Amino acid sequence: MSKTYVITGGAGFIGSNLAHTLAAREPDADITIIDDFRSGDFRNLEGFKGDLITADLSRVDLTPWFDDVKVDVVFHLASITDTTDHDQYRQCHDNIEGWRNLLGTFTSKKTRIVYASSAATYGIAAGINRVDQPQKPANVYAFSKVQLENLARQWSRSNPKQAIIGLRFFNVYGPRETHKLKASSMILQLAQQMLAGKQPRIFTAGEQKRDFVYVNDIVDFMLAAARADITSGVYNAGSGVARSFNDIVTNLNRVLNLNLPPEYIDNPYSFYQPHTEADLAETERALLTQPAFTLETGIDDYFASGWLK
Ligand SMILES: NC(=O)c1ccc[n+]([C@@H]2O[C@H](COP(=O)([O-])OP(=O)(O)OC[C@H]3O[C@@H](n4cnc5c(N)ncnc54)[C@H](O)[C@@H]3O)[C@@H](O)[C@H]2O)c1
């Protein structure tokens, strides 16, 4: 039987990749996107054949659209995604109230909900990131994600049969992120500098390490969460490997057939994460899936897609 899906933030980077993959794998599925285009882009939805509700999730009454509709899974990706936006009211209001609105609309219907949290909730503590370690959000974006998890936990306690599954995405890169400009992945930003003939600018001395995860793997984590035999919880969604910014430059020089050395600059951010690395043991146990891409194969696939430009 064909299924019905809702994707909030579906005009954005990860949401649009999810929408296209779902449509390709389940051609009969009904897919509705909710997005207010504050950071999304219609170009990401070229070829998309589903419905689109253009609205701010934190301010819209969703009842008229979903009152009589059975939705199988809601994927919640809508969020302010610029981590350097320090407007505390805007980040908290829009991210948290949008989430509360969605929970209120769908919890009573027993719809499974898969939502995006972030590795930013771990803060600047270096090392391997395990879901049970204390959260230390270093900016208001990360704080709002902690609140999403708190609200989900509270909601799950009152609705034990309701599946509400959070995924802490690490640093995602891949096709359809071009619209994010300075909030796009360092893989795209450095590739654009190099394609313009400039040396790639990274913070001294390029050995800070991040868990860079290819967007196809993130889509697979979300789809695994949609079918997993679990109720509620929060899981890491990364590659499971920490790689340096120097590694990115090496791989970009390889696929772009260039030989541009990095230009090292001082890091102006006090909330910068020096090392992130997803511990995936719980994710693999509960979601029965694991990432398929390394940094090398992810950058190869990105380049082959034609979006790395
Ligand atoms: N890209 C990453 O590396 C990364 C890492 C960790 C977490 N995340 C999370 O993944 C999700 C998707 O991020 P993305 O990288 O695709 O960013 P994005 O900015 O491309 O997508 C976010 C989408 O949400 C929409 N949106 C924002 N607020 C909204 C609101 N109140 N109502 C309706 N639509 C709204 C935007 O217009 C945009 O289309 C976000 O929740 C983000 O916090 C992303």
Side-chain angles (χ1 to χ4, degrees):
M1 219 173 73
S2 65
K3 292 198 169 165
T4 301
Y5 299 103
V6 170
I7 305 176
T8 77
F13 163 38
I14 300 171
S16 60
N17 279 289
L18 174 64
H20 288 297
T21 302
L22 258 182
R25 291 190 192 168
E26 299 180 36
D28 295 333
D30 256 316
I31 305 172
T32 299
I33 283 173
I34 305 173
D35 204 300
D36 67 0
F37 289 89
R38 71 180 66 196
S39 70
D41 194 308
F42 75 93
R43 292 174 194 84
N44 288 338
L45 293 176
E46 192 182 309
F48 174 67
K49 298 206 165 45
D51 196 3
L52 169 68
I53 298 171
T54 309
D56 176 347
L57 201 56
S58 65
R59 293 178 170 86
V60 67
D61 175 9
L62 292 171
T63 325
W65 281 288
F66 297 108
D67 211 15
D68 298 326
V69 181
K70 183 187 173 311
V71 175
D72 293 286
V73 186
V74 171
F75 296 97
H76 177 52
L77 296 151
S79 174
I80 296 173
T81 52
D82 180 357
T83 58
T84 63
D85 177 350
H86 301 300
D87 186 317
Q88 302 194 28
Y89 173 80
R90 188 169 49 232
Q91 285 272 8
C92 290
H93 176 272
D94 293 13
N95 293 353
I96 300 166
E97 298 316 319
W99 181 220
R100 196 190 312 276
N101 188 15
L102 201 68
L103 287 170
T105 307
F106 289 102
T107 306
S108 57
K109 295 168 172 287
K110 304 275 181 284
T111 299
R112 176 172 283 238
I113 304 176
V114 178
Y115 69 98
S117 182
S118 171
T121 60
Y122 289 113
I124 54 176
I128 296 179
N129 304 115
R130 294 192 178 80
V131 169
D132 58 2
Q133 80 193 51
Q135 292 175 295
K136 288 189 183 301
N139 56 34
V140 68
Y141 161 80
F143 172 80
S144 77
K145 292 293 188 188
V146 173
Q147 287 306 119
L148 254 65
E149 292 188 11
N150 290 346
L151 200 53
R153 204 175 306 113
Q154 208 180 70
W155 222 274
S156 304
R157 246 183 263 126
S158 327
N159 304 276
K161 292 201 178 130
Q162 169 75 37
I164 309 175
I165 300 153
L167 297 174
R168 288 186 191 157
F169 298 165
F170 281 66
N171 283 81
V172 192
Y173 65 97
R176 302 188 180 87
E177 61 166 322
T178 318
H179 65 283
K180 290 183 70 177
L181 305 174
K182 71 181 172 65
S184 65
S185 74
M186 285 311 294
I187 288 149
L188 177 60
Q189 293 189 48
L190 294 172
Q192 288 175 333
Q193 292 167 22
M194 294 164 78
L195 286 165
K198 297 182 191 140
Q199 279 180 253
R201 285 158 65 89
I202 56 181
F203 296 143
T204 311
E207 281 306 306
Q208 307 90 332
K209 290 192 170 64
R210 291 284 176 92
D211 185 318
F212 299 104
V213 55
Y214 194 50
V215 70
N216 293 22
D217 279 333
I218 289 294
V219 167
D220 279 340
F221 281 126
M222 285 189 284
L223 295 177
R227 62 175 182 263
D229 188 17
I230 49 173
T231 50
S232 296
V234 176
Y235 301 91
N236 279 335
S239 69
V241 181
R243 300 294 300 270
S244 72
F245 291 87
N246 287 327
D247 288 340
I248 296 179
V249 173
T250 303
N251 277 291
L252 288 175
N253 270 317
R254 179 177 58 78
V255 293
L256 301 175
N257 202 18
L258 295 169
N259 192 15
L260 291 164
E263 177 191 343
Y264 295 115
I265 56 172
D266 289 339
N267 179 357
Y269 297 114
S270 58
F271 56 83
Y272 196 77
Q273 292 175 297
H275 182 116
T276 65
E277 184 175 343
D279 176 275
L280 293 178
E282 271 305 295
T283 313
E284 291 177 4
R285 188 194 58 75
L287 305 188
L288 303 177
T289 189
Q290 54 188 29
F293 289 85
T294 62
L295 184 66
E296 281 72 17
T297 57
I299 289 179
D300 284 350
D301 199 75
Y302 196 173
F303 181 66
S305 75
W307 283 87
L308 192 65
K309 58 183 184 210

